Structure formats: structure tokens, C-alpha cells
Amino acid sequence: MTATADDDWKPTCTLQALHLRSAVLNSIRSLFHSRGYLEVETPLLSHDIVVDAHLEPFCVRMSGTGSDLYLQTSPEAGMKRLLAAGAGSIFQITRSFRQDESGQRHNPEFSMLEWYGIGTTWHQQMQLTEDLVRQVQSDVSHIRMKSESTACSIAFSKQPFCRLPYTEAFCDVGEEDILSVDTKHLQQLVETHTSIGTRSTDIHDRDDLLNLLLAECVEPDLGSQHPVFLHSYPISQAALAEQNPDDARTACRFELYMRGLEICNGYQELTDVRELKLRDAAQNRRRTQQQSHQLPGATRLNSAMSAGLPPCSGVALGIDRLIMVLSGTTNIRDVIPFPIDRA
């Protein structure tokens, strides 16, 4: 509904939703404190910015100096500097910022939970993610959003969350191993199975084609009955993740899906600074191909990794999206007080 001049000061979410948010944040902190993770804070504004071909940061010009700062798309760079300094396992609840992300599932400013476990594997972090979601669901289930239903509209069986390899996720388009398919055949699959149609022949980037198939043919049903970890993404789609030792085409990366909504993104973290520089360069080349400006990267993160980033795995989780699932809504406006048009 479009706000009028008289009511656009009001929050778009209910007061009950604010109580739910508060309870979710308390539950998150409780779990990480019980697991020995240290809560930290890192800058929202930084000279550093992690390079990603698909994420566009907000750039802020510092008055009088001509220096550019970036609102962080995630707290990753700052947190990894703390890891290299010996902080141990850490977590952070913060705000992140991404341009050109507005809609029912996106807001340019959003709440993120990010954590890193020293000496943990990405498989262990999948389990921790499941434990977190189950605890939050249990802790907030008493909060009523409507007269006839509780806040937690999704119920979990005792069955572990499903774990689905990326290569096996495209059965509905007739492919048992999507990564073995050449670009021409990918274009044909996109033409047949997505809304792009014959325009697929204009797309020559494999990852763009794969992302179209994923978005339209796989994601809508992922986690519709029970949460699903989609894992082992193409190595080209995981700039800061280690290569998967079980399949060199893929990376140690996972995402959790609930009711067709991506909730989090997890990595076995890359620790080799030389490889990071190569991947940053590749991401910037892709940005140039997409007519986006190149980004300077994260020089202080590079220095931290050169000093020694300990083996670790990490996860970034969208708090707003988790609350959307718990409250049974499909619109982010229902779980945040002031989306961008009312900010």
C-alpha cells in the first residue's frame, strides 16, 4: 500500500513484529554466547570493500579529503582482520548496505548476522546454522503475530535439515550434473525453462545462465517442506571460499533455504592471500564486462591475511529474512519498521 503524506511517518511493521525482532536478537546472542563466541563490532564505513561482481556498494565521499569510503556490503573484511589479530571465534549483528536491492525480499539497508568459527569446517557450520534456527524458532514460538497464529508459522520435524549438492539440484530441467553442461546447452535450458526465452542467446556468461536457472527453476521450491542446505556451489561463485577437495569444480560453500527464501551463505574461508588477489581481479574483470566500475578491494584484509588468517569457516545470515520465515510473511516491509521509502 502506498503511504499518504499523513501516515508515511508510521512503521510498516506491527508492534508485534518489533517484539519478535527483539526476541530473535536475544535468542541469537544467547546461542553464540553459550558456544563461546565473542560479540564484536566493526566499521560500517571503511576504505576497504570486498570485491563482488554482483554486489554494488554505496560510496561516500569524505568532505575535504577527496577520499572515498564504502558502506559495507557485509562486515567480512573487518571481522577477518580481528581473526588475524587473534580474536578467536566471533560473531556480529550489524547493518549492511547494497545498492539496487529493493523489493519484497530486499531493502538496501538490512540486518545481518555474521560469524566465524576458528578451526571449524563448513560442515560443522551447517550444523551450527541448523542449531541456531531451531533455537530461535523455539525461543520465539510464544510470540503471537495474529489472533489465530503464533509468530513461528514454520514447524520443524526432528529430521535433520536436508543437504543437497548444487550439481544435483537441477533435475527438473533434466540435468543430473549441471556443471558438465556446456554454455550453448545452458542457453538452450534457459530458453526452455525460464522467462528469458530466446534472449538466452545474448547471455554468454555461464554463471549468469546458471543463476537464471537456479532462480526460476530451483529456488522457488527449495525448503518448501523442510529446510534445505544447497552446497558445493561452482568455484566461480564463491570468491572467498576454499576449493572443494571432493570436486575441484566447486567450492566449500552452502546456502540455507526455507520456503524458497535464501537465509544464509556459508564458506570454508579462503586463507591464501595470493589466491584472494587473483579472485578479486577476476571479479573486477566481470564488473567491467557488466559495465560496472571497478572496486579497490580490501587492502587491509590482504595485509591481515598475509599476517596469517587462521583456518576457519564463516556464515552470513539475513536476520530480516529469518524473521520473514518465522512470521509467515513474504514481504520484508512486514518485519522492518522503516524500509527505504520511509527511511
Side-chain angles (χ1 to χ4, degrees), residues 121-164:
T121 69
W122 61 309
H123 295 289
Q124 290 172 321
Q125 289 297 349
M126 276 190 258
Q127 185 59 56
L128 177 53
T129 302
E130 178 174 344
D131 293 345
L132 172 69
V133 171
R134 288 185 182 276
Q135 175 167 312
V136 170
Q137 186 272 343
S138 176
D139 288 347
V140 305
S141 60
H142 66 286
I143 299 176
R144 294 187 175 275
M145 295 291 287
K146 298 177 182 179
S147 59
E148 300 299 327
S149 65
T150 60
C152 189
S153 63
I154 188 168
F156 304 122
S157 71
K158 293 182 179 179
Q159 178 185 358
F161 290 2
C162 301
R163 300 190 182 191
L164 175 66

Side-chain angles (χ1 to χ4, degrees), residues 24 27 40 90 97 104 163 165 180 207 232 238 274 280 313 323-324 327 337 340 342:
V24 167
S27 180
V40 299
I90 56 177
F97 304 83
Q104 284 199 340
R163 300 190 182 191
S180 66
D207 286 324
S232 304
R274 294 169 298 180
D280 278 354
S313 53
I323 298 172
M324 286 171 64
S327 60
I340 192 64
R342 296 199 186 187

Side-chain angles (χ1 to χ4, degrees), residues 273-290:
V273 68
R274 294 169 298 180
E275 180 65 20
L276 173 62
K277 291 178 180 179
L278 290 173
R279 295 189 189 182
D280 278 354
Q283 290 292 308
N284 263 327
R285 284 194 298 272
R286 291 194 67 189
R287 291 181 62 86
T288 299
Q289 292 166 1
Q290 297 166 4

Side-chain angles (χ1 to χ4, degrees), residues 70-92:
Y70 295 91
L71 285 169
Q72 297 299 285
T73 56
S74 90
E76 181 169 7
M79 293 184 76
K80 285 183 174 177
R81 289 166 63 186
L82 293 178
L83 294 175
S89 296
I90 56 177
F91 79 100
Q92 180 170 191

Side-chain angles (χ1 to χ4, degrees), residues 165-170 175-179 231-232 247 249-250:
Y166 184 96
T167 53
E168 299 176 12
F170 295 82
E175 298 299 330
E176 295 183 358
D177 183 358
I178 196 69
L179 297 186
H231 66 85
S232 304
D247 185 346
R249 302 173 303 169
T250 69

Side-chain angles (χ1 to χ4, degrees), residues 78-330:
M79 293 184 76
K80 285 183 174 177
R81 289 166 63 186
L82 293 178
L83 294 175
S89 296
I90 56 177
F91 79 100
Q92 180 170 191
I93 295 172
T94 189
R95 310 293 278 185
S96 293
F97 304 83
R98 298 175 184 179
Q99 285 204 62
D100 305 323
E101 294 200 4
S102 295
Q104 284 199 340
R105 298 181 172 191
H106 300 88
N107 194 63
E109 178 184 357
F110 60 98
S111 295
M112 179 179 284
L113 162 67
E114 190 152 328
W115 73 89
Y116 295 89
I118 297 296
T120 64
T121 69
W122 61 309
H123 295 289
Q124 290 172 321
Q125 289 297 349
M126 276 190 258
Q127 185 59 56
L128 177 53
T129 302
E130 178 174 344
D131 293 345
L132 172 69
V133 171
R134 288 185 182 276
Q135 175 167 312
V136 170
Q137 186 272 343
S138 176
D139 288 347
V140 305
S141 60
H142 66 286
I143 299 176
R144 294 187 175 275
M145 295 291 287
K146 298 177 182 179
S147 59
E148 300 299 327
S149 65
T150 60
C152 189
S153 63
I154 188 168
F156 304 122
S157 71
K158 293 182 179 179
Q159 178 185 358
F161 290 2
C162 301
R163 300 190 182 191
L164 175 66
Y166 184 96
T167 53
E168 299 176 12
F170 295 82
C171 294
D172 286 348
V173 298
E175 298 299 330
E176 295 183 358
D177 183 358
I178 196 69
L179 297 186
S180 66
V181 174
D182 63 29
T183 302
K184 183 176 181 179
H185 188 46
L186 279 177
Q187 290 174 328
Q188 294 170 347
L189 290 173
V190 168
E191 178 178 350
T192 302
H193 296 283
T194 77
S195 59
I196 295 296
T198 56
R199 288 177 292 160
S200 64
T201 56
D202 297 328
I203 304 172
H204 302 284
D205 186 276
R206 285 183 57 83
D207 286 324
D208 288 342
L209 293 165
L210 288 169
N211 286 336
L212 281 168
L213 286 170
L214 183 71
E216 295 198 24
C217 303
V218 178
E219 285 184 338
D221 293 326
L222 273 182
S224 58
Q225 302 300 318
H226 195 60
V228 173
F229 286 109
L230 186 64
H231 66 85
S232 304
Y233 279 70
I235 189 71
S236 56
Q237 297 182 24
L240 295 177
E242 293 278 5
Q243 187 178 62
N244 189 345
D246 297 325
D247 185 346
R249 302 173 303 169
T250 69
C252 300
R253 175 191 175 193
F254 66 86
E255 292 189 345
L256 175 63
Y257 283 85
M258 299 166 66
R259 292 189 171 176
L261 192 63
E262 174 208 336
I263 303 298
C264 77
N265 188 23
Y267 287 171
Q268 186 75 46
E269 299 297 335
L270 181 69
T271 58
D272 184 344
V273 68
R274 294 169 298 180
E275 180 65 20
L276 173 62
K277 291 178 180 179
L278 290 173
R279 295 189 189 182
D280 278 354
Q283 290 292 308
N284 263 327
R285 284 194 298 272
R286 291 194 67 189
R287 291 181 62 86
T288 299
Q289 292 166 1
Q290 297 166 4
Q291 283 74 54
S292 296
H293 66 283
Q294 292 201 357
L295 294 173
T299 56
R300 291 183 176 90
L301 173 58
N302 291 346
S303 298
M305 290 177 66
S306 295
L309 182 66
C312 60
S313 53
V315 181
L317 183 146
I319 293 174
D320 306 315
R321 287 191 170 194
L322 176 60
I323 298 172
M324 286 171 64
V325 171
L326 294 175
S327 60
T329 184
T330 59

